[in-house]
Amino acid sequence: MLSLWKRQYLSKGGRLTLLKSTLSSLPIYFLYLFVIPKRVCARLEKIQRDFLWGGGALENKPHLVSWKVICATKKDGGLGIRNLAIFNKALLGKWLWRFANENDSLWKQIISSKYDLQDGGWCSKGIRDRYGMGVWKAIRNGWENFRSHSHFIVGDDIRVKFWKDLWCENHSLEEAFPTLFNLSVNKESWFVEAWEEGGVGGSWGPRFNRHLNDWEVGEAESLLGKLFLMTIRRGVDDSLQWKENKNGTFSVKSFYSSLSRGIKPPFSARTIWTCWVPIRASFFGWEAAWSRLLTTDRLMRFVWSIPIRCFLCNNEEETIDHLLLFCEKARMLWLLIFSLFGVQWVMHSFVKRNLWVGMSLLWARKGRKLGERPLST
């Protein structure tokens, strides 16, 4: 992408910007249509990692933070670089959404005639050919995962299953009421078949293969209570709605976010990634927050034979917390900065803790001093 001599003059912040704007975007066209092979994905991610950390064919620099962390969003402690495998699934989900909603498209009619439609017509039937790997076969394999992130808006069509499809709150009735599902007469019944016309507008009447026992009546009451506000909407077609967006419309961004969602510790992203700070300085703060700066204690892990003392004070062991917080030179600098902004602050023991608790106040005051004008990056 860049010749080696040009790459040497790029900061890590510049590499991050170029990686997100160019290198991560090059394979999008192919990812939108084909499932990326694991070897190709691993090779592309290696190229991205080497470029980000300044390595390449002629040099081997350490990768200080794991790629899984880097692919997380900035608010979760990452750099916001896309994970190619997950991004590939999110892009292919667009075809599943279009298949479920574009009834008159020529491409859908061709696929439907070749593979036939499953019950309800939301997707084609599963493809079990032993040989070959068709384009649609690979896309169709992601239907079950895709369907778990969507739910049905029911009308008076015969396209939504009463027990098995997700149309009532966040779980199918099969999952919410397994005992009643096992007792139902027709486990494949449609939504409209459970509705009985009569009286004032009609009522729900799911059928069971025997009379309910006393301990099963309570579950039946819970089922009817959940269905109480649900009615058949005459003249309205059944439709598929996306759960991950407030407007109910599918987007690749929302699908990617839901696939990469996980339990992550809190991270001081708003303190580090701010418009008042050049991106190369923000990248340095991000590395410091993860304790991944190349101080002497970390360099010794790479079998470097160097003195372990701090090069600024020559008194203590050089660690990230010592170098940035408790070294005599660093402490004098912090006292000067705090006095300029009128801040009284006691340093915590760790850099990440200081970023999380205290530095937001400093940057907020700095923004007001600068007249609400961001620094150039």
Side-chain angles (χ1 to χ4, degrees), residues 183-206:
L183 295 176
S184 61
V185 174
N186 184 6
K187 296 178 175 57
E188 301 290 336
S189 62
W190 299 102
F191 173 83
V192 295
E193 294 176 349
W195 181 262
E196 296 180 352
E197 297 289 351
V200 183
S203 61
W204 293 103

Side-chain angles (χ1 to χ4, degrees), residues 72-103:
T73 60
K74 287 185 176 180
K75 68 178 182 179
D76 293 325
L79 296 178
I81 298 175
R82 301 189 191 100
N83 182 294
L84 291 181
I86 297 178
F87 188 50
N88 184 212
K89 294 179 181 179
L91 287 172
L92 296 179
K94 183 68 174 182
W95 289 103
L96 297 172
W97 173 261
R98 292 181 60 188
F99 190 95
N101 291 277
E102 297 180 6
N103 296 323

Side-chain angles (χ1 to χ4, degrees), residues 156-183:
D156 58 357
D157 279 350
I158 307 179
R159 300 188 65 188
V160 178
K161 296 289 184 68
F162 178 77
W163 290 103
K164 294 189 173 183
D165 284 336
L166 185 63
W167 61 273
C168 185
E169 297 184 357
N170 295 323
H171 299 281
S172 65
L173 297 181
E174 176 187 3
E175 297 173 346
F177 304 97
T179 302
L180 298 181
F181 171 74
N182 292 328
L183 295 176

Side-chain angles (χ1 to χ4, degrees), residues 62 64 287-288 290-311 316-324 349-351:
L64 303 178
E287 288 181 306
W290 282 109
S291 300
R292 291 297 185 269
L293 296 178
L294 286 178
T295 50
T296 55
D297 63 327
R298 292 193 60 83
L299 288 173
M300 292 185 68
R301 300 180 186 180
F302 298 103
V303 199
W304 283 43
S305 298
I306 54 177
I308 199 172
R309 289 185 179 275
C310 174
F311 280 85
E316 302 290 339
E317 178 183 352
E318 184 182 280
T319 63
I320 293 176
D321 297 322
H322 169 78
L323 184 64
L324 298 182
S349 301
F350 304 101
V351 172

